[in-house]
Amino acid sequence: MTERTPGRWKRVGLTTLRIVVLAVVAAGGLVLEARQDAVGDFLDGFSWQWFYTVAGWALILLGIVSQVVWGWRVDLIEARNTTDVAQIRVTMKDALKPVLAKVSEMPDLDADGRAAHLAVVASDASWALATLLLRHVDRARVGVYGMSGDGSALRIVGYGGRGEKPGEFLAGRPGADLALQRVKDGSPLIVHDRRSDPPPGWDRESAEWRSFVSVPIVSNDGFAYGMLNVDSPSEEMFQDTEQQIVSVVAEILAIAFALAFPKSERRAPARGRKVGART
């Protein structure tokens, strides 16, 4: 699947600008060099030598000024980017602090209580993530999925953001088998535009989303608990920053799932306990 490289055309434009600036300076040097062979006047009282001198220095100064202005602009952009990163960190800390507080309550609960509390954590994490992405993602919808004990389904544990409850992934349905395998393999998926670059096996042309990012929720030893999905009705919504934020929340959810279903109870949902059931 083709992925767009963020900032590619911007980098091409800056490189082209740099070449143009160097060319202007070089042209100024050539013009100054040419004045030595200039003879005669191009206007009354003004010689060609004078013209080449003025034109040469003008080109050199234009190149120098352009370079300085370009440098100031780069510094300004970097300063703004630094500010944006700091702001994102503060916003993430504020948004995810309540979620982490909910996760910290889980070790003190019994097995059934932890499973029930997982839905609270998933719901809070979904709304926190939707809020975090609100500035850059159009009408984000977040879904936290839990893998069934037999690995045949991904069922909603919690959701938040835009619209109705996201659909579930059941084995045998179009695209669902590939989604299940992707989660078991621990492979993320980013779709920038469903219409021009649809995900494998997807045939729902009437789907309300255009772009989405899907990150598996897995333990440190590779056990697949489920996945975290975020989608939007607009295309090209999930670039590197948004993907990183989703990944951070997926890691927090992996801790919550691991607390709810530790190694000795990982297949507990298949034996009858409902994942994420609210009390």
Side-chain angles (χ1 to χ4, degrees), residues 72-92:
W72 285 346
R73 179 173 174 79
V74 170
D75 290 342
L76 180 60
I77 290 173
E78 289 179 351
R80 287 175 177 173
N81 288 341
T82 301
T83 302
D84 288 344
V85 170
Q87 193 171 34
I88 288 173
R89 288 175 178 170
V90 172
T91 303
M92 286 184 66

Side-chain angles (χ1 to χ4, degrees), residues 163-185:
E164 62 185 19
K165 179 179 178 180
E168 298 182 335
F169 293 82
L170 305 176
R173 294 185 178 180
D177 291 336
L178 290 172
L180 288 163
Q181 189 59 51
R182 196 168 59 245
V183 172
K184 294 172 185 176
D185 293 340

